Amino acid sequence: MAAPDAQDEKESSALLRVFRPSSGSHLSVSARVLLRVLAGVLALVLVLALIGVFLVRRSFPTTDGEISLPDLDAPVTVHRDESGVPTIEAETAHDLFLAQGFVHAQDRFWEMDFRRHVTSGRLSELFGESQLGTDTFIRTLGWRKVAEQEVEQLDETTLGYYRAYADGVNAYLDDKSPTEVSLEYAVLGLQSGETEIEKWTPVDSVSWLKAMAWDLRSNLEDEIDRAILTSELDEEQVADLFPDYPYDTRPTILGGIAGHEAAKSRGDAAEDPGAGEGPGGQPGQPGRTGQPGRTGQPGRTGQQTDDEARAGGEARVGVEVTEASSQADDLIDLKTKVASLPDLLGMSSDDIGSNSWVISGEHTKTGSPLLANDPHLSPTMPSVWYQVGLRCKKVTDECPFDVTGFSFSGLPGIVIGHNQSIAWGLTNLGADVTDLVVERIRDGQVVHDDGDEPVRERKETVEVAGGEPREITIRSTRHGPLVSKLGEDYRRVLDASTGADTADPKSGPADEQYGLALDWTALRPGSTASAVFAINRASNWEEFRDAASRFDVPSQNLIYADVAGNIGYQAPGMIPRRGDADGSLPRRGWKSDEDWQGWIDFDDLPSLYNPDRGWIVTANNPVAAPGESVALSKDFDYGDRARRITKRIKDAVGEGRELTAADMSAIQGDDLNPFASKLVPAAIEIDDGDDPDIARAQKMLSEWNGHDAASSAAAAYFNVLTKTLLDQTIASKVPDAVAPTGGSRWYLVLSNLLEDEDSQWWSGQGADNRDEALRTAMKTAWTTTEDLLGPEPVTWRWGILHRLTIRNASFGESGITPVEKLFNRGPYEVSGGSGVVHATGWDASVGYETNWVPSMRQIVDLSNFDASSWINLTGASGHAYHEHYDDQTNDWASNVNRPWPYSPQAVQAAAEDTLTLEP
């Protein structure tokens, strides 16, 4: 037995030495020693916790009391309500925007600085070499350079607003270390070392408008997808996947009701003292003047009917639909580059857009208009929006602002909201303002039928954290930046989509090559930077339209209401007048007839004022049917949301009900799945083949009300079934890069296929027709739902599959769990889905997680602005663990709005904190 004892003594000797006095005598482990060790550990934990709390809270701003701000002309007050939302009141416009810059920086400067680095192609300075590709692409597009040109063109008054705003930002930053400004700088310092914060400039603000335009760029991805599919499918098959808008069953904005022609403006503009008559019976508009290069040119209409007009050349025909084709890898690299850019407003998606509508007082309980708006963007922490009120103590020509609503941190003014006279909302118009242009390059010259030109080149240096600076070469043509150098892999798809017949391009600079340029309206200097202020101070329809005429990019649907009871709609934007290429596929740069032929005049853009029906709905659906208005695009949302919103309004009006703000909120939260009415009957009617799972699925669907409620088991199964059908019938037959993502377009594709039992698309994976494909999909979907949510359907919930995690735009996907937990919030179970009015979109090619949301909601009551309501996705603060970091999210998820105080009395009554900024 001696040996084991000796061995035990040897193995434990290290532990014994810890507690053996230096004399060598043995000391037993006492409770006192253990307590000392434990106390030491706890003390260390407490110290680390205190350090952590100090670092987290160090950047929390002062929101009560007084702060000296020497650049002010007079004292400014900042009242914050229980949500931390500020209302700023100042004597002068200079002080108003200086204070807005100060307050934005208090709550959101890291967000502002991150955006500044994105828009100028300088992320590598913060995060190192991993961001070099993103920086190169952004610099290739040249957002910052365009913003610099726009600032140079600003009038003195507008430039003064931007300078005052920048002064306010810099006043907040003065004498503060980065960690005093935001916790993110402390985390960044652990990775890249200490960062120096630069002063804010007007160019930093205007550059953000380029990011906004990029994220709302309309159909660029559709154009890429069509080009890829054209090389794989015949024309009819491509048309199956890009169906025409069903005008007979879904509304347009001007028509209002499915199948109705575009409405005319009611002839009562005289009720608005500022409104006159303009061309075509529209209320007056001064038109575009004083804007170089903006006058319309008759040019070409692009209204051709042959394939060459559609595709810029002959489409490939006669290709059979096959399983999992791997041939079309050609434009995927460009699409990957585009998708990899930071989501500042949102990833490109079929769910891109927003809901907005306005109802005249003849249909409301108050007798005054109601206006609702909820833009759909990617969820980010903090929210892309910042709520704020901007009030001149006395509204005059020199200080004309009494406005409140949603702003962007980094940008002065209000983007969506109301002032003392009018309210407005925005949705994405979807105008086709981006074209891919195939350039033929020979011996360093860009080939054109009106004379060759050299490729334009410039060099820029990118600073890289932790590495050496990199020099990059940026190349461009008359059409725009070259975003991809196309070689062998691209030749076949370009020949198919453009009609070219080239030999294989070589790699040498002296040989003929292809390049792909991006022609985009936002790469030309515009006037949106001044339009924001013009809208903010507009007091009637004429002034609103004058402001809208400056809203170049991004092209938006603008809805309007005023306290006099008028409602209206205006489509603004720098929108090209097309030549012989319609924009649905890349056009040929060497054919001048396919170039843009100028711009559509503002007076020719769609407008509507006081329509007889008494309401206007915009949800990214077409503005008008073909031939009823100028051609804007071939790609719009397919109208499910617009149809549902219109139905609820029309039904209420038909029943004689007077609509209220609560009705507007209920519509915003409507979660009826538009595809349920098509797929459920088809799924219920098929023979279950004696399969118990299919029988259980049919019973579940037959008892379902069609709503995508978070608590619904049937909604969970239905959406899994929808994804399964898309994977089985479409995704298996097209390249991965163009796999169906779900939403209204794909619901229409499947709805059309359900009408054709023997469509070739149903074939595959053991099925020869629709019913066989449905049975296979229903069985697979049941098994998949069990795998995802468990074997008992009683425990299934759509909200569990469709969770929302709100991720920090900069550190939210760092791959470092503690850092992600520090800045991200969620998951939250949410109702709604893709193509649903409550537009919590999800990507069917990836999974079910929510990746597109109503980023905010507003309901404006023109009878009493203090009766209006609003909600933000997250909170006012961008500081992690601040009480207002995510305090609005639970209400947002429950579709509960918060009060929106506007009048001075309401603002003061709601004030929780009051900060006085003293000169």
Side-chain angles (χ1 to χ4, degrees), residues 106-431:
Q106 279 189 308
D107 287 335
R108 299 283 191 93
F109 185 75
W110 167 261
E111 178 185 44
M112 296 163 60
D113 199 18
F114 176 70
R115 289 174 175 173
R116 167 166 60 180
H117 281 80
V118 171
T119 57
S120 56
R122 295 171 52 201
L123 282 176
S124 298
E125 293 180 16
L126 299 178
F127 302 106
E129 190 174 0
S130 64
Q131 299 303 310
L132 190 60
T134 297
D135 286 346
T136 299
F137 193 80
I138 295 294
R139 287 171 183 248
T140 298
L141 297 182
W143 293 353
R144 179 91 180 176
K145 291 189 175 298
V146 179
E148 289 170 351
Q149 297 174 56
E150 291 187 359
V151 169
E152 289 176 359
Q153 296 177 10
L154 290 175
D155 62 89
E156 281 301 315
T157 299
T158 302
L159 181 58
Y161 296 157
Y162 280 98
R163 284 174 172 166
Y165 179 89
D167 288 343
V169 174
N170 294 326
Y172 180 72
L173 297 175
D174 192 35
D175 295 329
K176 287 184 174 65
S177 69
T179 55
E180 290 178 282
V181 174
S182 188
L183 176 62
E184 283 90 342
Y185 289 107
V187 176
L188 182 66
L190 297 175
Q191 172 185 320
S192 305
E194 187 174 350
T195 300
E196 182 178 343
I197 298 177
E198 300 172 359
K199 287 186 176 296
W200 194 261
T201 71
V203 175
D204 297 327
S205 293
V206 175
S207 294
W208 168 243
L209 295 173
K210 299 297 128 183
M212 185 171 75
W214 174 257
D215 285 340
L216 299 174
R217 61 193 172 272
S218 66
N219 76 332
L220 177 60
E221 281 75 9
D222 285 338
E223 190 172 332
I224 296 173
D225 288 353
R226 281 194 186 93
I228 294 171
L229 289 170
T230 297
S231 70
E232 297 296 307
L233 307 175
D234 65 31
E235 185 178 359
E236 182 178 350
Q237 291 157 353
V238 173
D240 286 342
L241 304 186
F242 287 91
D244 292 334
Y245 186 86
Y247 291 95
D248 56 337
T249 60
R250 305 186 189 193
T252 63
I253 294 172
L254 298 186
I257 300 171
H260 283 217
E261 294 183 357
K264 303 296 182 183
S265 295
R266 192 183 295 174
D268 57 2
E271 295 179 10
D272 181 348
E277 286 295 319
Q282 295 287 352
Q285 162 61 30
R288 283 196 176 118
T289 59
Q291 299 184 42
R294 296 299 309 277
T295 56
Q297 301 175 19
R300 298 175 180 270
T301 64
Q303 301 297 316
Q304 294 188 356
T305 58
D306 60 5
D307 291 341
E308 181 147 343
R310 278 194 70 254
E314 296 180 2
R316 185 178 175 190
V317 296
V319 182
E320 294 184 0
V321 178
T322 60
E323 296 283 331
S325 172
S326 61
Q327 297 177 9
D329 297 328
D330 307 301
L331 286 168
I332 295 171
D333 177 59
L334 175 60
K335 187 171 182 178
T336 301
K337 285 181 184 177
V338 170
S340 68
L341 298 185
D343 298 323
L344 297 181
L345 284 176
M347 67 190 76
S348 179
S349 164
D350 285 330
D351 289 313
I352 191 171
S354 312
N355 301 323
S356 69
W357 64 92
V358 60
I359 301 174
S360 71
E362 63 190 288
H363 300 312
T364 68
K365 190 170 184 177
T366 66
S368 293
L370 289 169
L371 183 149
N373 191 195
D374 55 291
H376 308 155
L377 305 170
S378 281
T380 59
M381 178 62 75
S383 167
V384 69
W385 299 106
Y386 184 92
Q387 297 154 285
V388 64
L390 302 172
R391 169 169 287 131
C392 294
K393 290 184 179 180
K394 183 178 181 181
V395 175
T396 64
D397 289 342
E398 291 73 29
C399 193
F401 302 102
D402 190 358
V403 61
T404 179
F406 294 87
S407 69
F408 291 132
S409 65
L411 187 72
I414 300 296
V415 177
I416 297 175
H418 72 81
N419 61 25
Q420 72 275 23
S421 301
I422 73 166
W424 70 96
L426 305 179
T427 65
N428 202 31
L429 175 61

Side-chain angles (χ1 to χ4, degrees), residues 891-911:
D891 283 347
W892 173 90
S894 302
N895 193 38
V896 175
N897 283 8
R898 293 188 175 185
W900 186 354
Y902 172 69
S903 69
Q905 298 83 359
V907 168
Q908 290 177 20

Side-chain angles (χ1 to χ4, degrees), residues 187 811 814-825 881:
V187 176
F811 290 105
S814 65
I816 304 171
T817 300
V819 172
E820 292 180 358
K821 287 184 177 295
L822 193 63
F823 296 110
N824 296 346
R825 294 296 179 268
Y881 295 101

